[in-house]
């Protein structure tokens, strides 16, 4: 009934509730069949009422079985290798206890203002049969479950069936084939989904209509909303990574929020500004609040690498220890501040408003126009903004005291153009990609210049602190001088870098 490729691993079978156990006597090569005592296994699944955790790929469940202490299971998405957290149940009393604090802290960003409560339950009445050969080797394990699955909430649905899993150990193909025949005789058929997968399917929200509501495929509005939806999903994923204190997570959360803000600004004519302008303000404020944590992370790495690169005779005093103490405190304070921001009512309100924007797009009539014609015109407007900012940043008449701010303004305008061009790529194709690539070197130089500005402020502070403590701040001064020289070199190079990127050929797709 199955080919040999299905006999290399486990297989699950299903039949109507009450289907009797398959015959397991007189199997070829089986000397003895050991049957374990019956046990009950329960899995209680937790989520918000609108199943936000499931939609985000997060699983929270309470597992109970007689032979193990009750335990909370948290499964988090993490690329190809999911991460798991197991927390013992503090109080075994009660069917539906509250989610423990360490799990709640991680899923709060996905759940936001919604309570996390039981939304589904699987109950298995299980009997296991171990098939052994004459040498007491385990050939296969047959797991027989009477399954009851219930979804909880506004409507409670209950399903019941018999589920049998064949877990192959040392069994040969002949034994597996015989077992499959007997399963078929009992009315069991290969299952498409196991009970846990079935519950996952029932809980997973149906695909949102957000892309459908964005207008006709190929329209400017559809392209923009597709991009906004992707960045909102990215923002949710990075929120979780920040809570797990993963490297670079704060930076990636800032990037996702900046992409959202830039797209809302660049494509304002396609959207109702009464809805989008408050979101732009909220995202801008979020970026400011995340900046100290990101700066502390970048500066720690930059200054540590800078000190490591100095010649030994330029390292005076315990500079590495001074730097480590300073940034340990800075990063701890910044992380606490970031978590407070992410848990604030204001941030939860911003996330809810962004969800509403994507689910109910406030598109204007202009958004219905073809993206290939409409989007380049809007990117061109953003490009002109960058051009004006670069003219100021490279103007020799600008006082040195204002140069850093002018270059930083050009950097911000460049980022907005970069993200606006990302939106255009699906509609425009190679020309938009080539344009973005041409600007990459110029944009990198602007970013490095800003890094030197921030680093010089930190180095000046570290030097002053060392002096106040009676220690030597000379090494920090050396790094300050290197960064000041690098900033001046970038400023001299900007006109050439700009002329190489801002060619008529690169910009000919803009209208």
């Amino acid at each position: 009934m199955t080919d040999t490729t299905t006999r290399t691993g486990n297989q699950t079978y299903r039949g109507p509730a009450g289907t009797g156990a398959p015959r397991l006597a007189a199997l070829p090569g089986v000397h003895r069949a050991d049957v374990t005592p019956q046990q009950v296994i329960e899995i209680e699944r937790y989520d918000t009422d609108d199943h936000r955790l499931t939609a985000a790929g997060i699983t929270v469940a309470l597992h109970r079985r007689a032979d193990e202490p009750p335990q909370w299971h948290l499964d988090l998405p993490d690329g190809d290798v999911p991460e798991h957290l197991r927390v013992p149940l503090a109080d075994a009393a009660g069917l539906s206890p509250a989610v423990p604090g360490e799990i709640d802290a991680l899923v709060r960003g996905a759940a936001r203002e919604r309570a996390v409560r039981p939304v589904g339950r699987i109950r298995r009445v299980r009997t296991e049969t171990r098939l052994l050969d004459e040498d007491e080797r385990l050939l296969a394990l047959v797991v027989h479950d009477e399954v009851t699955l219930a979804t909880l909430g506004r409507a409670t649905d209950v399903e019941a069936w018999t589920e049998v899993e064949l877990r192959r150990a040392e069994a040969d193909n002949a034994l597996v084939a015989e077992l499959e025949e007997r399963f078929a005789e009992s009315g069991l058929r290969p299952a498409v989904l196991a009970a846990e997968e079935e519950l996952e399917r029932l809980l997973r929200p149906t695909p949102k209509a957000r892309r459908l509501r964005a207008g006709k495929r190929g329209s400017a509005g559809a392209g923009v909303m597709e991009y906004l939806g992707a960045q909102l999903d990215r923002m949710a994923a990075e929120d979780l990574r920040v809570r797990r204190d993963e490297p670079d997570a704060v930076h990636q959360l800032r990037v996702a929020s900046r992409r959202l803000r830039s797209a809302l600004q660049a494509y304002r004519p396609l959207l109702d500004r009464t809805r989008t302008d408050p979101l732009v303000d909220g995202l801008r404020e979020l970026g400011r609040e995340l900046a100290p944590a990101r700066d502390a992370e970048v500066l720690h790495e930059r200054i540590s690498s800078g000190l490591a690169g100095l010649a030994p005779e330029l390292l005076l005093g315990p500079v590495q220890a001074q730097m480590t103490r300073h940034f340990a405190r800075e990063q701890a304070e910044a992380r606490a501040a970031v978590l407070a921001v992410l848990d604030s009512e204001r941030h939860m309100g911003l996330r809810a408003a962004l969800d509403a924007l994507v689910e109910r797009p406030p598109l204007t009539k202009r958004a219905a126009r073809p993206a290939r014609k409409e989007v380049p015109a809007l990117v061109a407007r953003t490009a002109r903004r960058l051009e004006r900012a670069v003219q100021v940043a490279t103007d020799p008449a600008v006082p040195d005291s204002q140069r850093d701010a002018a270059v930083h303004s050009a950097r911000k305008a460049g980022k907005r153009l970069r993200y606006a061009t990302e939106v255009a790529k699906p509609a425009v194709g190679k020309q938009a990609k080539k344009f973005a690539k041409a600007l990459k070197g110029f944009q990198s130089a602007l970013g490095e210049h800003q890094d030197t500005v921030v680093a010089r402020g930190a180095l000046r502070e570290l030097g002053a602190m060392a002096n106040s403590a009676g220690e030597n701040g000379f090494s920090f001064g050396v790094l300050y001088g290197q960064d000041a020289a690098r900033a001046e070199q970038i400023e001299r190079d900007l006109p050439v870098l700009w002329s190489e990127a801002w060619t008529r050929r690169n910009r000919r797709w803009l209208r």
Side-chain angles (χ1 to χ4, degrees):
M1 69 182 268
T2 56
D3 60 38
T4 55
T5 59
T6 66
R7 298 173 186 159
T8 59
N10 301 341
Q11 175 67 49
T12 302
Y13 302 83
R14 183 180 290 193
T19 300
R23 292 185 305 108
L24 299 178
L27 287 165
V30 176
H31 178 66
R32 191 173 83 251
D34 281 350
V35 181
T36 63
Q38 189 178 83
Q39 66 169 320
V40 176
I41 302 171
E42 291 185 334
I43 300 175
E44 194 166 25
R45 183 74 173 265
Y46 281 64
D47 206 333
T48 61
D49 56 355
D50 55 356
H51 303 167
R52 294 182 178 183
L53 302 187
T54 302
I58 299 171
T59 300
V60 177
L62 177 59
H63 289 236
R64 301 176 190 260
R65 53 188 298 163
D67 57 347
E68 295 178 0
Q71 191 178 60
W72 289 95
H73 286 210
L74 171 63
D75 297 327
L76 302 171
D78 189 18
D80 296 330
V81 184
E83 185 165 326
H84 311 288
L85 177 65
R86 304 292 181 255
V87 179
L89 178 62
D91 183 2
L95 181 62
S96 301
V99 173
E102 53 262 61
I103 291 179
D104 179 69
L106 287 174
V107 304
R108 195 174 299 148
R112 298 199 285 287
E113 77 283 0
R114 301 296 180 94
V116 177
R117 58 174 183 74
V119 294
R121 189 175 295 127
I122 298 172
R123 185 175 190 271
R124 297 176 180 271
V125 180
R126 171 168 292 180
T127 303
E128 297 182 356
T129 304
R130 294 164 50 86
L131 304 178
L132 308 170
D133 66 7
E134 291 183 349
D135 298 324
E136 298 296 306
R137 289 188 311 153
L138 178 65
L139 299 176
L141 181 67
V142 178
V143 182
H144 183 279
D145 290 335
E146 290 299 329
V147 180
T148 304
L149 183 152
T151 55
L152 312 173
R154 297 188 185 95
T156 299
D157 296 320
V158 180
E159 300 178 28
W161 66 84
T162 297
E163 194 171 283
V164 174
E165 183 182 6
L166 173 59
R167 301 178 186 174
R168 180 174 179 171
E170 301 293 331
D172 57 23
N173 285 343
L175 175 56
V176 173
E178 179 64 24
L179 285 167
E180 290 174 342
E181 292 295 334
R182 295 192 183 191
F183 292 167
E185 291 173 2
S186 299
L188 298 166
R189 297 291 181 270
V192 176
L193 299 174
E196 290 78 7
E197 296 169 318
E198 185 74 24
L199 181 58
E200 177 81 14
R201 182 187 66 80
L202 294 172
L203 295 180
R204 184 168 294 281
T206 56
K208 295 288 187 182
R210 67 190 191 188
R211 273 72 171 181
L212 298 177
R213 293 173 183 163
K216 185 178 179 182
R217 186 178 182 86
S219 67
V224 171
M225 296 312 302
E226 183 72 24
Y227 183 84
L228 292 175
Q231 298 312 313
L232 186 57
D233 292 342
R234 183 73 258 166
M235 189 175 174
E238 296 305 332
D239 179 290
L240 179 58
R241 293 185 64 244
V242 169
R243 294 174 187 276
R244 292 156 68 183
D245 200 18
E246 293 190 9
D248 203 40
V250 173
H251 173 56
Q252 294 303 325
L253 178 58
R254 284 189 77 200
V255 169
S257 65
R258 191 184 295 123
R259 280 188 163 106
L260 281 166
R261 176 161 57 92
S262 295
L264 291 173
Q265 291 172 313
Y267 294 96
R268 273 176 174 149
L270 307 182
L271 301 161
D272 179 358
R273 291 188 59 171
T274 62
R275 290 271 304 277
T276 60
D277 282 359
L279 298 180
V280 169
D281 293 340
L283 289 165
R284 182 183 292 110
E285 182 63 23
L286 175 62
R288 293 191 184 115
E289 292 168 329
L290 297 178
R294 171 57 180 166
D295 289 347
E297 184 179 42
V298 171
L299 288 172
H300 188 186
E301 181 179 349
R302 182 184 181 89
I303 295 175
S304 180
S305 298
L307 291 173
L310 290 180
E313 63 269 21
L314 298 179
L315 290 171
L316 303 183
V319 288
Q320 284 283 3
Q322 295 169 25
M323 184 268 303
T324 300
R325 286 196 306 269
H326 174 75
F327 283 109
R329 182 181 68 254
E330 288 252 326
Q331 288 177 286
E333 292 174 352
R335 171 165 171 75
V338 166
L339 293 178
V341 167
L342 297 185
D343 288 339
S344 67
E345 289 186 11
R346 180 166 53 81
H347 181 67
M348 296 299 180
L350 174 63
R351 292 282 303 276
L354 287 168
D355 283 341
L357 176 82
V358 175
E359 292 170 10
R360 298 184 298 279
L363 299 175
T364 64
K365 290 182 179 180
R366 190 171 174 179
R369 298 175 184 175
R372 188 162 183 82
K373 293 184 178 181
E374 190 66 20
V375 167
L378 296 175
V379 178
R381 189 179 67 167
T382 304
R384 288 191 292 272
R385 178 189 181 96
L386 171 60
E387 188 174 24
R388 290 192 295 270
V390 172
Q391 287 172 353
V392 174
T394 57
D395 185 351
V398 172
D400 289 343
S401 60
Q402 300 175 21
R403 182 74 60 188
D404 287 346
V407 174
H408 185 46
S409 295
R411 174 175 174 264
K412 292 189 292 184
K415 281 184 176 291
R416 182 186 296 189
L417 177 59
R418 173 186 168 192
Y419 300 139
T421 304
E422 286 181 350
V423 179
K425 285 179 182 179
V428 178
K430 292 182 179 179
Q431 288 179 306
K433 293 179 182 178
K434 184 178 179 180
F435 180 66
K437 185 177 180 179
L439 287 172
K440 186 174 182 180
F442 178 75
Q443 189 66 33
S444 296
L446 294 175
E448 187 179 357
H449 186 279
Q450 179 63 16
D451 287 346
T452 69
V453 172
V454 179
R456 278 179 280 162
L459 288 165
R460 187 166 47 247
E461 181 180 358
L462 284 166
M465 290 170 59
N467 183 64
S468 298
E471 297 174 335
N472 199 318
F474 172 80
S475 300
F476 299 124
V478 172
L479 294 184
Y480 183 99
Q482 290 179 349
D483 273 341
R486 179 57 184 150
E488 291 176 2
Q489 183 61 52
I490 292 172
E491 291 166 12
R492 288 193 294 269
D493 292 343
L494 281 181
V496 174
L497 292 171
W498 176 246
S499 65
E500 291 174 349
W502 202 247
T503 65
R504 186 177 299 277
R505 183 176 182 181
N506 289 338
R507 293 180 285 123
R508 64 186 177 187
W509 65 280
L510 300 175
R511 297 182 178 88

